[in-house]
Amino acid sequence: MKRLKVLHLFFWLVIIGLVLTEAKAETPFAKKIYKVLIIDGQNNHRNMADGTVMMKKFLEETGLFTADVITTPKKGENMDSFKPDFSGYDVVLSNYNGDAWPEATNTAFEKFVKNGGGLVIVHAADNAFPKWLAYNKMIGLGGWEGRNEKSGPYLYFDEAKGKMVKDTAKGVGGSHGHQHEFVVTTRDVKHPIMKGLPTAWLHQKDELYDRLRGPAENVNVLATAYSPVEQKGSGRIEPMLMTLQYGKGRIFHTTLGHENYSQKCVGFITTLQRGTEWVASGKVTQAVPADFPTVTKGSARP
Ligand SMILES: [Zn+2]
């Protein structure tokens, strides 16, 4: 009888042990999952909704992020209802290019970034809000919507000087030539977002933004691309990926990502994933994927 009791106790100890082991396996040590808010709703790009779905997937498949989507009212509609609670998020990703937000929303957004919130700006999001000074300081450079030399200098890479230069001469802010495949070249190999990536890689067909203008304060250009005159480009080496600081907030700005086929580039996906982790934490823990493009061989995911 006593022996049976001991066996019984032993049985339950084994069961409890198994349950505890299982629970431990399901909760890996304090792995932080960053919360991302993707904003869309208006954009001059017809792939806006697809882009949101794709970018949400790219971020969540890393296991580092969960992403919510908030969609603004349509163009011309009353914007008063657009009041996201930014404070619940680590990062805001803007896929938005449209009407001005309510003043209170702008103020809350400025406060979010200034206090250390991360911001990711994708392609046409840098066309938005030409009159909102704080936003232009956050994105560094923007295009179209009446931007010109009054918006700030045109920043490009001067090969002879080996550095970025600011051109304050009169001219348009923002243009692009024909879409084509082009090589993206790293200019800051030590930055966590770029570290370990090939220093030059072939990007899928995309718009190559040129002549972007803005306050260009605290901007660190991570990568550039040559905009060929034959493709109706600027003939200059243009910033493609950049980081900025606004108050305590980190910003990653990618000019890439015009169409679905552009966003399927493993170079676009990887820099978006790494850029989002960097704005959230100041670090990048993600490995370089095996299918990353090389300088001669592009790479896209289905
Ligand atoms: Zn575009």
Side-chain angles (χ1 to χ4, degrees):
M1 190 67 189
K2 199 176 176 190
R3 202 168 144 194
L4 199 68
K5 263 189 180 169
V6 170
L7 267 178
H8 200 229
L9 184 70
F10 180 73
F11 170 80
W12 281 111
L13 280 174
V14 168
I15 294 292
I16 289 165
L18 282 173
V19 167
L20 283 175
T21 311
E22 185 68 18
K24 202 175 169 186
E26 276 175 11
T27 44
F29 307 64
K31 188 178 172 192
K32 168 114 169 111
I33 305 288
Y34 301 106
K35 289 188 76 187
V36 181
L37 180 65
I38 301 177
I39 302 177
D40 71 5
Q42 296 180 31
N43 203 306
N44 57 324
H45 288 67
R46 64 203 159 113
N47 73 325
M48 176 193 72
D50 284 352
T52 292
V53 171
M54 286 165 70
M55 290 190 281
K56 177 175 160 67
K57 179 176 163 285
F58 298 152
L59 294 180
E60 290 183 340
E61 71 191 11
T62 64
L64 292 169
F65 312 102
T66 57
D68 294 336
V69 177
I70 186 164
T71 300
T72 67
K74 290 192 177 74
K75 197 161 188 67
E77 285 180 5
N78 189 312
M79 273 282 179
D80 290 349
S81 63
F82 183 65
K83 289 181 195 156
D85 181 9
F86 299 114
S87 68
Y89 294 92
D90 300 296
V91 177
V92 171
L93 185 156
S94 179
N95 184 25
Y96 181 87
N97 175 23
D99 293 348
W101 296 341
E103 201 56 48
T105 300
N106 287 5
T107 305
F109 184 75
E110 286 173 29
K111 196 175 150 199
F112 167 77
V113 181
K114 208 171 226 170
N115 290 344
L119 175 63
V120 177
I121 295 291
V122 179
H123 194 61
D126 73 13
N127 301 186
F129 311 130
K131 292 181 182 134
W132 180 8
L133 183 61
Y135 183 78
N136 284 274
K137 287 187 174 191
M138 292 177 208
I139 67 171
L141 299 168
W144 295 271
E145 310 299 323
R147 284 182 172 90
N148 55 34
E149 69 281 355
K150 287 176 193 141
S151 315
Y154 161 29
L155 194 67
Y156 64 89
F157 187 81
D158 186 320
E159 198 135 51
K161 291 179 179 158
K163 61 173 187 178
M164 302 300 301
V165 292
K166 288 179 180 177
D167 182 348
T168 55
K170 223 173 164 179
V172 296
S175 58
H176 59 75
H178 301 308
Q179 292 180 51
H180 62 288
E181 292 185 355
F182 52 87
V183 170
V184 176
T185 303
T186 303
R187 298 293 170 189
D188 184 350
V189 292
K190 287 182 185 155
H191 195 281
I193 298 171
M194 308 310 286
K195 214 171 171 179
L197 302 183
T199 51
W201 47 274
L202 185 61
H203 181 42
Q204 299 290 299
K205 185 171 154 185
D206 204 338
E207 279 174 351
L208 198 167
Y209 276 6
D210 62 48
R211 302 180 179 94
L212 297 179
R213 286 177 181 270
E217 295 166 5
N218 306 314
V219 56
N220 178 26
V221 175
L222 302 182
T224 57
Y226 173 66
S227 168
V229 177
E230 312 86 83
Q231 297 282 4
K232 305 268 180 241
S234 63
R236 290 234 170 94
I237 301 171
E238 302 286 346
M240 294 290 108
L241 307 176
M242 59 202 109
T243 58
L244 297 105
Q245 185 85 28
Y246 184 80
K248 290 185 196 152
R250 285 179 291 269
I251 296 127
F252 173 66
H253 176 173
T254 176
T255 63
L256 306 176
H258 171 72
E259 254 290 358
N260 292 354
Y261 45 75
S262 323
Q263 297 194 349
K264 284 176 183 170
C265 175
V266 179
F268 173 83
I269 297 169
T270 306
T271 51
L272 184 85
Q273 292 167 330
R274 293 170 71 104
T276 307
E277 186 182 4
W278 182 79
V279 302
S281 68
K283 291 183 292 192
V284 174
T285 60
Q286 301 166 66
V288 178
D291 58 346
F292 198 87
T294 70
V295 72
T296 50
K297 194 168 169 281
S299 174
R301 296 211 182 125

